[in-house]
């Protein structure tokens, strides 16, 4: 972790506490608690691939931009922030506090899978600052649970999960080809509509509703959504809804019954079963893990 933040000014945050850290073959992972008493802005870089997953709500106006000459790419931060090595980032946020899991992967973890160095062009860079990928988020949460709970061969398990994470990153950004395809055929405004609807605090939409929202046929949306996410449309929708449910449980501290209603389930039992099938733990276990 220190390799990624060492170039930040010492006064960039007024309080930062490392709760836990694990160094493994190929990188390291840590959970850190941040607190800012005033809005901040910071310029930093790192020599490893960085994935930042907030474990609580990000502070208001969290935003980042590349300051490398010629890139001119900036975004409001999404649920995951991904930054390749060697890139200069300007990031900022309003006052507040949050906890985050930060995973650092050595260059060889990802680029060793390729025929040569990764081509981080504008399209790929823009995707990283606001990354919405349930598979990558699931792997990061599995790493978090190993870091939090430990247990037999925890370090080996984290190394294996980190290897799977490196493959997921290479697939997500299509690093095996010289130029990435354009978001699986989905125009940015359509992808934004889908993400906003799936994140809305109302019962989940049907695929037909999403297709109508995008002005597409169900068949075409299913094909392009799978190209974009790497998952069948129904599976992607279910995982996205359960990721929202997890955030309602852990960030908003809503009860299991309230989240079940919010996500369109008829009762807590059916919701709990679906949540465990997708997330690997029951809702109450997820709430305890993030205390």
């Amino acid at each position: 972790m220190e390799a990624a933040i060492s170039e930040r000014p010492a006064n960039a945050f007024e309080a930062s506490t490392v709760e836990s850290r694990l160094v493994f073959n190929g990188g390291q992972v840590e959970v850190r608690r941040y607190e800012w008493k005033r809005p901040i802005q910071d310029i930093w870089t790192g020599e490893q691939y960085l994935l930042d997953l907030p474990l609580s709500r990000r502070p208001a106006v969290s935003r980042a931009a590349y300051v490398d000459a010629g890139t001119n790419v900036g975004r409001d931060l999404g649920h995951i922030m991904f930054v390749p090595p060697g890139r200069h980032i300007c990031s900022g946020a309003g006052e507040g506090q949050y906890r985050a899991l930060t995973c650092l992967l050595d260059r060889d973890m990802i680029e060793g899978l390729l025929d040569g160095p990764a081509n981080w062009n504008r399209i790929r860079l823009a995707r990283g600052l606001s990354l919405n990928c349930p598979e990558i988020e699931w792997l990061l949460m599995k790493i978090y649970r190993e870091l939090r709970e430990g247990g037999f061969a925890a370090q080996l398990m984290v190394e294996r999960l980190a290897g799977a994470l490196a493959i997921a990153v290479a697939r997500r950004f299509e690093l095996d080809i010289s130029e990435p395809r354009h978001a699986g055929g989905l125009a940015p405004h359509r992808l934004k509509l889908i993400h906003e609807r799936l994140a809305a605090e109302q019962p989940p939409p049907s695929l037909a509703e999403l297709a109508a929202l995008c002005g597409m046929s169900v068949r075409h949306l299913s094909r392009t959504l799978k190209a974009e996410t790497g998952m069948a449309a129904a599976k992607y929708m279910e995982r996205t809804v359960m990721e929202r449910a997890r955030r309602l449980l852990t960030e908003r501290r809503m009860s299991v019954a309230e989240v079940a209603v919010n996500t369109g389930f008829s009762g807590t039992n059916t919701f709990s079963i679906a949540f465990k099938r997708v997330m690997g733990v029951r809702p109450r276990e997820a709430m305890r893990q993030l205390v």
Side-chain angles (χ1 to χ4, degrees), residues 53-81:
L53 174 70
L55 301 172
S56 61
R57 187 183 299 274
R58 289 189 189 275
V61 201
S62 295
R63 186 170 175 80
Y66 292 97
V67 294
D68 306 64
T71 55
N72 192 28
V73 175
R75 295 289 294 273
D76 291 329
L77 293 181
H79 196 55
I80 302 173
M81 179 175 69

Side-chain angles (χ1 to χ4, degrees), residues 80-94:
I80 302 173
M81 179 175 69
F82 173 83
V83 180
R87 295 289 177 175
H88 297 287
I89 295 289
C90 177
S91 60

Side-chain angles (χ1 to χ4, degrees), residues 81-151:
M81 179 175 69
F82 173 83
V83 180
R87 295 289 177 175
H88 297 287
I89 295 289
C90 177
S91 60
E95 65 177 280
Q97 58 183 355
Y98 82 111
R99 296 172 67 239
L101 173 78
T102 300
C103 182
L104 299 174
L105 301 177
D106 293 345
R107 287 175 181 262
D108 287 346
M109 287 285 290
I110 292 177
E111 297 181 13
L113 301 168
L114 312 174
D115 293 332
N119 174 23
W120 289 104
N121 56 23
R122 289 173 55 87
I123 295 176
R124 289 178 172 132
L125 290 174
R127 289 180 183 177
L129 292 179
S130 183
L131 183 59
N132 182 7
C133 180
E135 180 185 11
I136 289 176
E137 184 166 353
W138 182 84
L139 286 166
L140 288 170
M141 287 303 301
K142 289 284 287 183
I143 290 173
Y144 170 70
R145 286 194 285 271
E146 289 295 325
L147 186 63
R148 178 181 174 84
E149 299 171 7

Side-chain angles (χ1 to χ4, degrees), residues 32-288:
R32 186 181 287 260
R33 184 183 298 272
Y34 299 91
E35 182 176 2
W36 297 286
K37 299 297 185 182
R38 62 185 184 278
I40 64 162
Q41 184 165 307
D42 201 3
I43 296 178
W44 53 278
T45 189
E47 297 305 317
Q48 296 165 290
Y49 284 92
L50 179 148
L51 294 105
D52 178 89
L53 174 70
L55 301 172
S56 61
R57 187 183 299 274
R58 289 189 189 275
V61 201
S62 295
R63 186 170 175 80
Y66 292 97
V67 294
D68 306 64
T71 55
N72 192 28
V73 175
R75 295 289 294 273
D76 291 329
L77 293 181
H79 196 55
I80 302 173
M81 179 175 69
F82 173 83
V83 180
R87 295 289 177 175
H88 297 287
I89 295 289
C90 177
S91 60
E95 65 177 280
Q97 58 183 355
Y98 82 111
R99 296 172 67 239
L101 173 78
T102 300
C103 182
L104 299 174
L105 301 177
D106 293 345
R107 287 175 181 262
D108 287 346
M109 287 285 290
I110 292 177
E111 297 181 13
L113 301 168
L114 312 174
D115 293 332
N119 174 23
W120 289 104
N121 56 23
R122 289 173 55 87
I123 295 176
R124 289 178 172 132
L125 290 174
R127 289 180 183 177
L129 292 179
S130 183
L131 183 59
N132 182 7
C133 180
E135 180 185 11
I136 289 176
E137 184 166 353
W138 182 84
L139 286 166
L140 288 170
M141 287 303 301
K142 289 284 287 183
I143 290 173
Y144 170 70
R145 286 194 285 271
E146 289 295 325
L147 186 63
R148 178 181 174 84
E149 299 171 7
F152 174 70
Q155 181 165 339
L156 179 59
M157 178 61 78
V158 169
E159 289 179 4
R160 299 289 175 84
L161 290 169
L165 184 62
I167 294 171
V169 167
R171 287 179 173 177
R172 175 62 177 176
F173 291 96
E174 300 176 310
L175 297 179
D176 59 315
I177 58 177
S178 59
E179 295 291 334
R181 293 181 290 273
H182 182 266
L186 278 173
H189 74 278
R190 284 175 169 163
L191 193 58
K192 182 179 179 182
L193 287 173
I194 290 173
H195 289 167
E196 289 177 346
R197 177 60 184 90
L198 290 173
E201 294 191 10
Q202 54 184 292
S206 65
L207 189 58
E209 179 185 339
L210 291 182
L213 188 66
C214 294
M216 304 168 67
S217 69
V218 170
R219 181 178 180 182
H220 184 50
L221 177 62
S222 297
R223 183 169 59 252
T224 54
L225 195 58
K226 183 172 183 179
E228 166 65 18
T229 66
M231 289 184 283
K235 184 177 179 181
Y236 171 76
M237 291 167 62
E238 180 183 48
R239 177 165 288 280
T240 302
V241 168
M242 289 305 163
E243 293 293 350
R244 177 164 66 86
R246 181 183 63 77
R247 291 193 285 273
L248 292 176
L249 290 166
T250 59
E251 297 176 13
R252 297 276 295 278
R253 299 298 180 183
M254 295 174 64
S255 69
V256 175
E258 289 173 325
V259 176
V261 172
N262 187 283
T263 50
F265 285 84
S266 58
T268 57
N269 189 50
T270 53
F271 166 69
S272 296
I273 292 173
F275 188 91
K276 188 174 190 303
R277 181 177 67 251
V278 175
M279 305 303 294
V281 295
R282 290 192 174 275
R284 296 190 188 280
E285 294 173 340
M287 295 171 72
R288 287 196 296 269

